[in-house]
Amino acid sequence: MPGPAKILRSSTVFRVILILALCGTVYYFNRDMQDSRPLFSFQSADSIKKEVLEEGKISYKNGRSLDLKNSYNSLESRTNNNNRITLKGKISGTLDENLKPFIEGDSYTSEIDPGSAVIDGFNPLYPVALRKLLYFMPQTGLFDQKKWEINAAGGEFPCSYTLSLGDAVRSVALQCSGRIGESSVIVTGNIGLNASFSGFTQTDLDISVENGILSSNWRLSEKVDEPETEAAGAGKQTFFSIFNQ
């Protein structure tokens, strides 16, 4: 008959093995759950159709004011090369005469590096360059109420993002406040995501800009129609589902 000391040692070894087994199970379960979560993945696309409405009110310090409005359609292509996004498009519709000096014809090109959070080309009169904020999405697994932050414009313009994943709605709430150049800027917005997390369905940005010359308030709205792609991370089984088969 084994002695008390031998029984105690066997019991201790068994507990250690059991704890290690449980830790391993939890580790692999969590890792597989992370791997199975969808990711933001902006895929290249040749024909993204957008209905765009831009409305702004400019108030100069000398008392002059302007009400501005653009309403147009755009046909856009998006190239994602090593996570550097290039947007190219052509527009057709109605452009405000006061803004035509800031719009280079009926075509445009925008280069976006989501890893740098650079906002170049910002104009306080017509701050459409802030659309780049829509593309600063995380490269980690997504879940309801996920939050992330960026410090754009050299760290002077912090932004926070919150993801909502409902049964029928996938959207991101955006809030930014800080300085870009000589201007104080506030941005709030909502980004509607498509089912595959590869692009947008609707985007809305409210922008307020204030500096020593003027204040401007803008509403930028886009309804987006683009091809869907398979959701990143879709179709994977979790460790838990395999374990319980």
Side-chain angles (χ1 to χ4, degrees):
M1 182 175 180
K6 187 173 182 180
I7 294 174
L8 181 61
R9 285 196 300 272
S10 298
S11 177
T12 301
V13 170
F14 176 75
R15 285 198 299 269
V16 170
I17 293 173
L18 179 61
I19 291 171
L20 290 174
L22 289 173
C23 289
T25 300
V26 171
Y27 169 77
Y28 283 107
F29 171 70
N30 286 336
R31 186 180 69 174
D32 201 74
M33 284 293 289
Q34 288 287 342
D35 291 343
S36 67
R37 286 173 175 166
L39 303 173
F40 285 112
S41 180
F42 292 110
Q43 302 297 314
S44 297
D46 292 329
S47 57
I48 302 171
K49 299 176 183 179
K50 296 182 177 181
E51 297 179 19
V52 183
L53 180 62
E54 303 170 342
E55 296 179 294
K57 184 176 182 62
I58 313 299
S59 298
Y60 291 92
K61 301 300 182 180
N62 62 10
R64 182 188 175 207
S65 65
L66 289 172
D67 290 308
L68 307 172
K69 182 177 180 180
N70 292 331
S71 179
Y72 59 88
N73 296 325
S74 74
L75 182 62
E76 184 177 277
S77 67
R78 181 177 63 226
T79 303
N80 190 344
N81 185 12
N82 294 324
N83 206 34
R84 295 180 69 90
I85 298 171
T86 302
L87 306 175
K88 294 183 178 181
K90 286 187 172 294
I91 62 176
S92 61
T94 303
L95 301 178
D96 196 290
E97 291 292 331
N98 293 287
L99 292 174
K100 285 186 176 180
F102 306 100
I103 300 172
E104 298 179 0
D106 62 353
S107 62
Y108 61 90
T109 299
S110 181
E111 302 282 347
I112 304 168
D113 181 358
S116 69
V118 170
I119 304 294
D120 51 10
F122 173 76
N123 186 324
L125 177 68
Y126 184 45
V128 293
L130 294 177
R131 283 198 178 97
K132 293 183 179 181
L133 295 170
L134 304 173
Y135 293 88
F136 297 135
M137 299 297 183
Q139 299 300 305
T140 57
L142 306 177
F143 53 88
D144 188 39
Q145 297 305 302
K146 179 179 178 65
K147 300 179 186 293
W148 65 97
E149 295 184 354
I150 65 166
N151 289 311
E156 296 294 319
F157 193 58
C159 296
S160 64
Y161 298 73
T162 303
L163 174 66
S164 295
L165 293 180
D167 292 336
V169 177
R170 296 171 173 85
S171 64
V172 175
L174 169 64
Q175 291 186 323
C176 308
S177 178
R179 295 191 65 82
I180 302 178
E182 300 301 318
S183 298
S184 297
V185 183
I186 298 173
V187 177
T188 59
N190 190 74
I191 307 165
L193 306 171
N194 64 21
S196 60
F197 299 100
S198 64
F200 308 130
T201 58
Q202 171 85 32
T203 65
D204 296 285
L205 295 177
D206 290 294
I207 303 169
S208 296
V209 180
E210 181 88 25
N211 58 32
I213 300 173
L214 57 82
S215 62
S216 66
N217 293 279
W218 280 90
R219 173 78 167 176
L220 308 181
S221 178
E222 296 178 345
K223 293 182 180 179
V224 186
D225 180 15
E226 67 171 279
E228 291 267 3
T229 60
E230 183 180 355
K236 295 183 180 179
Q237 280 188 309
T238 67
F239 177 83
F240 184 77
S241 66
I242 295 171
F243 185 77
N244 282 278
Q245 286 180 350

